[in-house]
Amino acid sequence: MRTAVPAALPRPRVVVVLLAGRGAYRLAVYAAGLALLAVWGPDEFAAYAGPVGALAWYTVAVSSGPEKAALTLIARPGGAHLHRLVRAIAVTGLAVPLAGWLLLVVAGAGDTAVRYAAAASAAGGIGCATVLVALYRLRGAPLVDGAAYLAVAVAYAVAVALALAGAGATQVLATLAAAGIAVNIALLVGLARGDRSPPVPPGATPGPGTGADTAREPAMQHLDPAPHGGGTARRADPAADHGRAVGPDVPALPRRDALRAAALLGVAELLGTAGASALYAALAALGDAAEISLFYVLAVVTSVVSTGWGYLLRLVQPAVADRYGRAGEPAGWRAARRTLGATIAFGLPAAVALTAAATAGAGPGLVYPAIGVEILLFGANAVSALLLEVSGARGRRWSAQAAVVQFAVVAGTGWLLVPVTGALGGVAALVAGELVRAALLRFAAGRAVRR
């Protein structure tokens, strides 16, 4: 297995290809939904959309923590051996709902239960693939990412064709789940072949088939001393983790650190999804279809922007992790503190101005500048969270703790404001949550820097 981990920024043309693959997937998901609604009508479409919407969170649960842990730790000295552990975590997230789905099918369970199990398997498949393609990027083969998502996009086109041929929601969900399984099997086979390939010598450039066309910078073999002491100067099996060194004076990172990181790093995205669900519940209780529809459109816009921005941050995360892993935790804290200060300096006056305008009766059009403010705050907080999360275990704990408080603020503020101002109240709750998150993270980072 190649143990070197490229920690260079991806080249622009590679980023374009990767964004095209993810964009095609997103477009296929949205287009397929509209097409299936047109083909089936509202009743059958509800049988499809209900399970898909109810289990969308599962993709985040499977992918977010393990992916971010891989991008943060594998790029660190002594972290290359964590490839297989992260892979196992992701595969487990797919295997559990898949086993349940197959058992329900064999047992002859009703269509409703089978549909929900198939939707969970499809969601787990996307989550697992997200983690596996991140491992490919770390191995210097980023274009596999785009190819995998293009394959899933094709699966959605096939699903629409089957619906046109008479297939129902149960069959379409089974098709999407099966496609996700097939893509993940192909990804796992490729990673297993990489495990058997010889190690890349320090300073060497990946050869053909390992991303040489897309990662021209020298692969990085970390040889600097680890911050907590040394080990023997020998090369360890990258798949093993028994405290052996992976290079001169560089001990292998413990598996428990990776497991903790995977648990903590998934908290923010999972609770962000839960916060949006709480706002939808508040709007549903309001019972105003126009406000629900408006909030849905705004949520789609912010989701597209935030997903794209988050993906770009994932692409640079190994390089950022390598930089601050070498610079030390305080360097990450100071950088995050500066970014968070700028975020609050912009966000707080903007929130006050929006509140004043709403109080003065500015009208429903105020929701559009409000969603713009929310998008900017989210983007800035994502950068700050990245800086803290790659800096070390303390930064990851702060990020998770702030995300818990943010969820409480979003849910509580939303249930207070939505009955009064509808969709605008939901957006205001999101803005409040981002500001509180920024303030908590800045306080934690600032206190640590002063010590």
Side-chain angles (χ1 to χ4, degrees), residues 13-39:
R13 67 185 181 88
V14 174
V15 174
V16 170
V17 172
L18 295 178
L19 288 176
R22 297 287 179 121
Y25 162 70
R26 289 288 174 183
L27 182 61
V29 171
Y30 295 136
L34 295 175
L36 291 173
L37 176 60
V39 172

Side-chain angles (χ1 to χ4, degrees), residues 24-302:
Y25 162 70
R26 289 288 174 183
L27 182 61
V29 171
Y30 295 136
L34 295 175
L36 291 173
L37 176 60
V39 172
W40 285 332
D43 292 337
E44 187 67 19
F45 181 73
Y48 163 85
V52 170
L55 289 158
W57 63 271
Y58 191 64
T59 298
V60 178
V62 172
S63 65
S64 181
E67 181 192 16
K68 293 173 76 174
L71 297 176
T72 298
L73 298 179
I74 292 177
R76 288 287 180 87
H81 67 293
L82 297 173
H83 266 274
R84 287 182 177 175
L85 175 63
V86 172
R87 193 187 319 174
I89 295 172
V91 170
T92 301
L94 170 59
V96 170
L98 173 60
W101 177 39
L102 294 177
L103 286 173
L104 289 173
V105 171
V106 171
D111 279 351
T112 299
V114 170
R115 281 195 295 268
Y116 273 86
S121 299
I126 294 297
C128 182
T130 300
V131 179
L132 298 184
V133 296
L135 296 178
Y136 274 95
R137 296 200 306 270
L138 286 169
R139 287 188 174 187
L143 298 186
V144 174
D145 185 316
Y149 275 87
L150 282 173
V152 178
V154 171
Y156 275 88
V158 171
V160 172
L162 291 175
L164 288 169
T170 303
Q171 292 74 32
V172 164
L173 287 169
T175 300
L176 295 176
I181 294 165
V183 168
N184 279 290
I185 289 174
L187 292 172
L188 288 167
V189 169
L191 288 171
R193 288 175 178 171
D195 290 343
R196 295 191 294 271
S197 66
V200 174
T205 302
T210 62
D213 187 51
T214 58
R216 301 292 178 89
E217 296 79 9
M220 299 188 65
Q221 185 77 16
H222 296 292
L223 301 177
D224 54 318
H228 299 295
T232 57
R234 57 189 173 123
R235 183 187 303 277
D237 179 359
D241 182 20
H242 304 293
R244 296 184 294 173
V246 295
D249 301 320
V250 181
L253 293 176
R255 288 174 179 259
R256 63 179 178 274
D257 288 356
L259 292 171
R260 290 192 189 115
L264 289 174
L265 292 172
V267 170
E269 286 192 42
L270 192 58
L271 289 181
T273 302
S277 298
L279 294 177
Y280 275 113
L283 286 162
L286 179 63
D288 189 326
E291 293 296 322
I292 295 174
S293 299
L294 174 59
F295 186 78
Y296 174 82
V297 172
L298 295 172
V300 168
V301 172
T302 189

